[in-house]
Amino acid sequence: MSILNEISQNLQIGKAKVVKELVQKALDEGYKPQEILNEGLLPGMAVIGEKFKNDEIYVPEVMIAARAMNMGTELLKPLLASSGVKAAGKVVIGTVAGDLHDIGKNLVKMMMEGRGLEVVDLGVDVSAGRFVETAINENARIIACSTLLTTTMAEMENVVKAAEEAGIRNKISIMIGGAPVTQNFCETISADFYTADAASAADVAAKICENP
């Protein structure tokens, strides 16, 4: 088994320390950082995403795998930055104003990072203005809004309106998700994409960033 396959396999079972050691070993053996990311870490996370989507694994396993992924990417990030390699795209994510839930949002963030995207996490209780301001400042391609409460769903429409008022609506895709959210609601507020789970959200985000 090649060392890149070993990295992928150990990531999938959440062996964070082993993943970090293998990434360092691969670097020492002359593998390029981009190669380790694209052929070791990202394929491992892609398997996790697919299994999660198919209900073969659950949130705890995803969290453990994501931690292993982060241990590996910590070593690679400075090397990728210094060699001028950019992330596949940039996403601004957060839970909308009035809602303090973050488990779903964190899961989406992990899955998106597992697809090679750079994610700017604004946390919870995020105003429409802050979503838009950050998207402009960070030159992001996507705003991703999460909510768990029916009472704060209307905040998602405020994000769409704020993007329109700021003149960036045609440059940015707005993704929404969370337990009470539906495709019908997405269409009603003129958001761009709704996905039912974190892995699907990452798939959609990756596709958007492939076609800027």
Side-chain angles (χ1 to χ4, degrees):
M1 187 190 292
S2 82
I3 192 164
L4 298 176
N5 280 338
E6 276 188 73
I7 289 169
S8 172
Q9 296 290 336
N10 280 282
L11 183 150
Q12 289 171 48
I13 53 175
K15 293 198 168 178
K17 278 187 182 173
V18 176
V19 167
K20 189 174 182 180
E21 285 162 11
L22 286 169
V23 167
Q24 187 59 60
K25 188 180 171 193
L27 288 168
D28 295 342
E29 288 179 10
Y31 284 88
K32 290 180 180 169
Q34 183 82 1
E35 201 177 357
I36 298 167
L37 181 68
N38 290 345
E39 296 176 38
L41 294 168
L42 294 183
M45 226 23 221
V47 171
I48 290 293
E50 205 53 39
K51 285 185 173 177
F52 181 65
K53 212 191 291 187
N54 296 331
D55 291 330
E56 292 170 41
I57 59 170
Y58 300 99
V59 173
E61 290 96 328
V62 175
M63 299 278 197
I64 291 164
R67 190 182 65 188
M69 165 99 184
N70 289 338
M71 289 278 270
T73 52
E74 264 174 36
L75 288 174
L76 297 181
K77 271 179 186 172
L79 300 170
L80 290 166
S82 64
S83 61
V85 175
K86 291 186 175 176
K90 193 178 279 191
V91 182
V92 172
I93 195 169
T95 304
V96 297
D99 193 334
L100 302 177
H101 295 90
D102 68 355
I103 291 175
K105 184 260 302 168
N106 292 345
L107 207 51
V108 172
K109 178 189 174 186
M110 287 173 193
M111 288 293 186
M112 286 182 174
E113 288 178 337
R115 293 299 298 269
L117 301 170
E118 183 181 343
V119 183
V120 180
D121 187 356
L122 298 179
V124 299
D125 193 21
V126 182
S127 69
R130 191 158 166 239
F131 272 116
V132 171
E133 185 185 342
T134 307
I136 293 167
N137 293 341
E138 295 284 344
N139 196 25
R141 183 71 188 80
I142 299 166
I143 291 175
C145 307
S146 169
T147 188
L148 195 68
L149 307 172
T150 51
T151 50
T152 54
M153 283 170 70
E155 282 299 322
M156 292 178 163
E157 186 171 12
N158 291 340
V159 175
V160 176
K161 286 176 179 169
E164 282 168 3
E165 286 164 13
I168 63 163
R169 190 65 192 90
N170 61 335
K171 298 178 198 165
I172 202 147
S173 293
I174 297 176
M175 297 179 64
I176 63 171
V181 182
T182 62
Q183 179 59 38
N184 186 46
F185 177 71
C186 177
E187 290 163 15
T188 301
I189 67 167
S190 301
D192 297 302
F193 298 96
Y194 157 75
T195 53
D197 61 78
S200 302
D203 288 345
V204 169
K207 281 195 184 113
I208 293 167
C209 292
E210 278 168 19
N211 305 295

